[in-house]
Amino acid sequence: MLFLNTFILCVIVAIIVFILFSGLRKFSRKDSVKHYSAAATEIIDINVNQEESSEDSLKERLTWYKGFTLIEIALLVILALGYNVHMGFAAFGVGLVLSLIAPKRQEGVLHSIPWPIILMVTGIVTYVGVLEQIGVIKYMTHLIAGMNNPIMATLTASYVGGIISSFASTTGFLATIIPLAIPILKDPHVSSIGVISSISFASSIVDISPFSTNGAMLLANAQGMNQNEFFRKLLIASVCFIALGPGLAWVIFVVIGTPW
């Protein structure tokens, strides 16, 4: 039921965002004509430059180094999940092996790493870790659990989850706040699955924030656009999600409720 609730609401939010960003124009007749014209031009260009494309495709074939890299990635997953090896240590080990077997291929690797984004996320995670160590997050969650009104407590928990999760790990935060929200879940006047769905959705919909892990990965891999401009757009979108997402989830799952 938790998966079904969050999936349905994510689809609704995706449709709203698609419409707000003029997605319906893609289906207009004028744009369709432009699309087909562009597609026809692209086909002509492909036929004209077929030999050049063939040469490029040869460069993109699987080489021994690419195959070994894929094996190392699989080994990284196995070490982290199967043997509980620290992910950072395992990643450095895999990177060291790859650099030793082909030292000449490592030229320019360090320059291509998005260090500003890595330092930004590292600083944010460190700051949130300090807040957790001194008990700020637990204090806030205890205040939420101590509220007499479970409906308003759920709304508060949803917004706190959205704000904190935009700067921290969603999974780690949910593991902290949901157990401390047990007094809310025990109240017979509210739906337990509705409360959990509201908090979970509010905490996960903000993962597009450039200060979170997922948003930082999007920002680090952005191509064909200015990184600062993309950062600004992600920030604006995350602010909108923080402002509207928790309230929408609260209304649907707690106030209105689901039929299942």
Side-chain angles (χ1 to χ4, degrees), residues 178-234:
I178 289 182
L180 294 177
I182 289 177
I184 303 177
L185 301 177
K186 289 183 178 180
D187 194 296
H189 298 91
V190 295
S191 170
S192 298
I193 188 64
V195 172
I196 296 178
S197 298
S198 178
I199 297 175
S200 300
F201 177 83
S203 302
S204 59
I205 195 66
V206 298
D207 284 350
I208 196 176
S209 169
F211 299 108
S212 68
T213 307
N214 291 341
M217 291 177 63
L218 289 174
L219 186 62
N221 292 278
Q223 299 180 2
M225 65 182 70
N226 184 270
Q227 196 173 71
N228 293 332
E229 179 68 16
F230 189 51
F231 174 84
R232 187 181 68 84
K233 291 181 178 180
L234 283 180

Side-chain angles (χ1 to χ4, degrees), residues 75-117:
L75 178 62
L76 175 64
V77 176
I78 294 174
L79 291 175
L81 299 181
Y83 297 92
N84 201 26
V85 178
H86 190 276
M87 178 64 74
F89 179 79
F92 275 112
V94 169
L96 176 62
V97 173
L98 290 175
S99 62
L100 290 177
I101 63 174
K104 294 183 179 180
R105 292 178 176 266
Q106 311 308 315
E107 297 179 0
V109 171
L110 293 179
H111 296 286
S112 63
I113 297 176
W115 292 111
I117 298 173

Side-chain angles (χ1 to χ4, degrees), residues 93-194:
V94 169
L96 176 62
V97 173
L98 290 175
S99 62
L100 290 177
I101 63 174
K104 294 183 179 180
R105 292 178 176 266
Q106 311 308 315
E107 297 179 0
V109 171
L110 293 179
H111 296 286
S112 63
I113 297 176
W115 292 111
I117 298 173
I118 293 176
L119 293 176
M120 178 188 67
V121 174
T122 304
I124 292 294
V125 172
T126 303
Y127 177 68
V128 174
V130 172
L131 294 181
E132 291 178 347
Q133 289 295 325
I134 63 179
V136 174
I137 296 179
K138 285 187 177 181
Y139 175 74
M140 295 178 63
T141 51
H142 278 301
L143 288 179
I144 295 171
M147 295 178 66
N148 295 327
N149 191 331
I151 303 297
M152 297 307 299
T154 304
L155 177 62
T156 305
S158 299
Y159 271 100
V160 170
I163 295 172
I164 296 179
S165 181
S166 62
F167 296 95
S169 169
T170 301
T171 307
F173 177 75
L174 288 176
T176 302
I177 193 173
I178 289 182
L180 294 177
I182 289 177
I184 303 177
L185 301 177
K186 289 183 178 180
D187 194 296
H189 298 91
V190 295
S191 170
S192 298
I193 188 64

Side-chain angles (χ1 to χ4, degrees), residues 14-44:
I15 294 174
I16 294 174
V17 173
F18 181 77
I19 295 175
L20 291 178
F21 281 88
S22 304
L24 293 178
R25 293 181 181 178
K26 300 291 184 181
F27 299 99
S28 64
R29 183 176 180 182
K30 184 178 180 180
D31 287 343
S32 298
V33 173
K34 292 181 179 180
H35 173 75
Y36 289 124
S37 299
T41 304
E42 183 178 357
I43 293 175
I44 294 175

